[in-house]
Amino acid sequence: NTIQTSSQLESSSIMPSPPAIFIDHILLLNAEQETKNDDDQNSQTEENAQPTNIAKNKYQGLKLYSEKWDEMFDTLQQYKLYSEKWDMMFEALQQFKTKHGHTDVPGNYEVNPKLGDWVRRQRDGYCCYQSGYHNGKCRGMNEDRIRRLKSIGFDWVSKYTIKKQIWNERFEELKQFKAKYGHTDVPRRHADNPKLGRWIDNQRTRYRAIKAGAKSRKNLEMYKEQIQKIESIGFEWVGQHYRNKTQK
């Protein structure tokens, strides 16, 4: 049986996109063993060049090579199994998109809890791969998988991450507002920054909903860090407008 090259195995339908480093290592082992056998034969002196010694050395060399081959074959079989699991999760993601119209699977997706975690790992792997790490350390990410994910419009950045980034930007603007005016009671229609005023209003509305018990467990867990951050600068959950409205 001939050993396929890395490029041949990467195009194989039996094992999609195997890491070339595995195959290259096998070929290297083969070359090293052949060189070792030649060196062993050339180094035999007239004194120890007995047929039994030569046969013993060859047997030990072949045994070691066989063990290394078995180890690499097991690794390739594990990768094949991993690839099959990846294909199953990719199919589940396609079904999710058909049903919901997007690929931003939540981490607590009850229908398929593993899918949300798998999507997160693809994003992590993509960031790693884009950073230049192409040696199999990026959660199995490679060009073929990137191409397949892009073909279904995969969201490389989750909506939750985007919302968190926006929240942090508004929080920094709130700190600047307090440094300038001495308080955090931003008017709803703040002329200098209308988005900040609306954001403040949304924070208070959401907080009142949490206090009232609307999905309290889920929301408090999700916004616990944000609540602590905004309270750390003396934020008032009840604004002047709301106080005036309730006092009438």
Side-chain angles (χ1 to χ4, degrees), residues 183-185 204 208 235-248:
H183 63 85
T184 61
D185 195 17
R204 287 170 173 153
R208 288 196 296 269
F235 181 73
E236 297 181 6
W237 290 108
V238 179
Q240 185 64 40
H241 172 77
Y242 186 79
R243 286 197 295 269
N244 292 340
K245 184 177 179 181
T246 55
Q247 289 173 0
K248 291 181 179 179

Side-chain angles (χ1 to χ4, degrees), residues 156-172:
W156 296 109
V157 180
S158 70
K159 294 179 180 177
Y160 174 76
T161 300
I162 296 175
K163 289 180 179 179
K164 188 174 182 180
Q165 291 174 346
I166 294 175
W167 194 95
N168 289 332
E169 290 175 3
R170 296 290 177 268
F171 179 67
E172 291 300 319

Side-chain angles (χ1 to χ4, degrees), residues 6-139:
S6 304
S7 59
Q8 287 174 326
L9 277 174
E10 284 181 346
S11 61
S12 171
S13 59
I14 298 177
M15 189 185 304
S17 301
I21 189 173
F22 291 162
I23 310 304
D24 293 339
H25 188 48
I26 290 175
L27 298 177
L28 181 61
L29 286 176
N30 186 37
E32 288 177 349
Q33 188 59 44
E34 290 179 354
T35 302
K36 185 178 183 303
N37 290 340
D38 292 339
D39 292 342
D40 289 342
Q41 291 180 11
N42 294 333
S43 65
Q44 297 295 332
T45 63
E46 293 181 359
E47 182 178 351
N48 61 9
Q50 300 298 323
T52 54
N53 290 335
I54 295 175
K56 182 179 179 181
N57 289 337
K58 285 186 176 181
Y59 172 77
Q60 291 177 342
L62 289 173
K63 184 174 181 294
L64 178 61
Y65 176 74
S66 177
E67 291 173 352
K68 290 182 177 180
W69 174 269
D70 290 341
E71 181 181 348
M72 294 304 299
F73 182 78
D74 290 341
T75 303
L76 285 169
Q77 288 296 98
Q78 292 173 8
Y79 183 81
K80 180 176 181 294
L81 179 62
Y82 178 78
S83 296
E84 292 173 349
K85 290 182 177 180
W86 193 95
D87 291 339
M88 291 176 58
M89 297 306 292
F90 180 73
E91 183 178 349
L93 179 62
Q94 288 179 302
Q95 294 173 357
F96 178 92
K97 183 179 181 181
T98 299
K99 183 176 181 180
H100 300 281
H102 62 85
T103 62
D104 196 22
V105 184
N108 58 347
Y109 184 48
E110 296 181 356
V111 177
N112 188 346
K114 293 182 179 180
L115 185 58
D117 186 58
W118 181 84
V119 165
R120 178 188 58 79
R121 293 199 303 271
Q122 304 316 298
R123 289 169 175 150
D124 291 345
Y126 179 76
C127 290
C128 174
Y129 192 85
Q130 291 298 102
S131 298
Y133 296 97
H134 299 171
N135 55 357
K137 294 183 178 180
C138 295
R139 298 186 179 274

